[in-house]
Amino acid sequence: MRRASLFLSPGDVADGILQGHLLVAIDVLRASTTICQALVAGARDILPVAEIEEAKRLAESLGQENTLLCGEREGRIIPGFDLGNSPLEYPSEKVKDKTLVMCTTNGTALLARLKGVETVIAGFVNAGAVVRHLGSLKGDMAVFCAGLHGGFSLEDAVCGGTIVAGLESRLARRERVLLSDGALAGKALFQRWGKNLPGLFKVAHHARYLASLGFERDLAFAARMNSLPVVPVYREGRITSLKN
Amino acid sequence: MRRASLFLSPGDVADGILQGHLLVAIDVLRASTTICQALVAGARDILPVAEIEEAKRLAESLGQENTLLCGEREGRIIPGFDLGNSPLEYPSEKVKDKTLVMCTTNGTALLARLKGVETVIAGFVNAGAVVRHLGSLKGDMAVFCAGLHGGFSLEDAVCGGTIVAGLESRLARRERVLLSDGALAGKALFQRWGKNLPGLFKVAHHARYLASLGFERDLAFAARMNSLPVVPVYREGRITSLKN
């Protein structure tokens, strides 16, 4: 028997649960999705940073040649940065073998709180790969939704439910998974929207905001379930791809 | 058009949203349910208080004759108190015309944060009455779930969704209701469990805990949708029944 907890809102993060758990962080729109794309496109690593000035200093200290400064505020690229937070800005030609210093609003804030504990990063694009990885390990799982400006965001909750339901299904024949209230809710939300992500993105607040900025193609990209079979792992301040 | 926001976790409470909204507070297990029962049984008013010592002082200052000291810690009656937090302890013979000083763990903590703004209290037992009341008023609505120990609790989220879906349905022909992400999630959870509250209480963490303490009958009581058509209103520190 193992436990699966899903923390639907960033305010729900219980520090006590971090140690000894398999941790998953979710920011579907768009940090999770962009990180997966960047790693599949061959980026060497990604260094998430909370503040803009800190990101600039870090990028400078690393040297311009192999470093890109990436991130957004209110959905838009930060002035003076190389790349924004759209996965479409991260093709191989731009990011291969580069170190990306990344500064986003919600995803980076969550990772800053998880600093010091190894965490897997998940979106819809790599949900299946994350489930396979978690299923191959032992232990209780805690999934954290980045949310939006400190509150609940629907697409992260649905994605959390995708991971929970996927793990439960994968382990069905050999191990019982005991779901927390948040995990039960997430699973129900996955059952409601998991097979209709475009429909989800038509109603979810942050998706509507991104569409209003002209990022409809990002939404289509983020909705491609299991299109990027990568497992990004955040440890000691760096995100790298888990070697298969 | 009006907006309906549902704050699924107590950490989601955004102070900025309080003013100018129709507010609803939910603590299904068990403060909401017990408050409804007490008012239907003829209690004069209920004074929610956060701390035990504060409750004792307040009850003493009001005089023993018409005051009852009520509340729980970890689900059990507080030693020396008159009543616990089971709705079954609140028949008319005990509470008619009494002032109840009430100290519960999650519900009272939520009300303390909503102090100063008029708030309606809802559970499954009075969801329909609350919806009718909200439907008769104008303005945006914000629903707050008390949750459990600062985190998400499934039954409060399902109840929040019951209110949201009920209001949307009631206003369908005359006014559009724009749902927040939390409200969309709550509505989906209502669709999943609203017609199977006993099933909900078989899986939800706090319900299982109460069952383990022997409070199964409280769960059956709390699951009786629309059995107590009362609208408890919290204003200026007191909860009274809205006069029809």
Side-chain angles (χ1 to χ4, degrees), chain B residues 58-72:
Chain B
L58 179 57
E60 202 167 25
S61 76
L62 293 170
Q64 277 199 337
E65 198 177 346
N66 292 307
T67 310
L68 292 171
L69 203 45
C70 317
E72 57 73 39

Side-chain angles (χ1 to χ4, degrees), chain A residues 8-9 12 150-155 181-182 184-185 188-189 191-193 203-205, chain B residues 8-9 12 150-155 181-182 184-185 188-189 191-193 203-205:
Chain A
L8 296 169
S9 297
D12 288 346
F152 176 85
S153 79
L154 187 58
E155 69 280 3
D181 276 18
L184 288 163
L189 298 176
Q191 288 165 341
R192 168 72 181 78
W193 277 294
V203 295
H205 181 84
Chain B
L8 296 169
S9 298
D12 288 345
F152 176 85
S153 80
L154 187 58
E155 69 281 2
D181 276 18
L184 288 162
L189 298 176
Q191 288 166 340
R192 169 71 181 78
W193 278 294
V203 295
H205 180 84

Side-chain angles (χ1 to χ4, degrees), chain B residues 95-143:
Chain B
V95 301
K96 191 162 167 45
D97 298 328
K98 301 282 191 187
T99 287
L100 313 181
V101 176
M102 182 174 271
C103 183
T104 72
T105 310
N106 305 296
T108 307
L110 174 59
L111 291 182
R113 295 166 68 183
L114 298 175
K115 203 159 188 167
V117 265
E118 189 171 308
T119 303
V120 165
I121 291 164
F124 292 119
V125 291
N126 70 333
V130 167
V131 166
R132 281 192 296 280
H133 171 64
L134 295 169
S136 73
L137 302 172
K138 299 272 177 207
D140 294 340
M141 172 175 80
V143 183

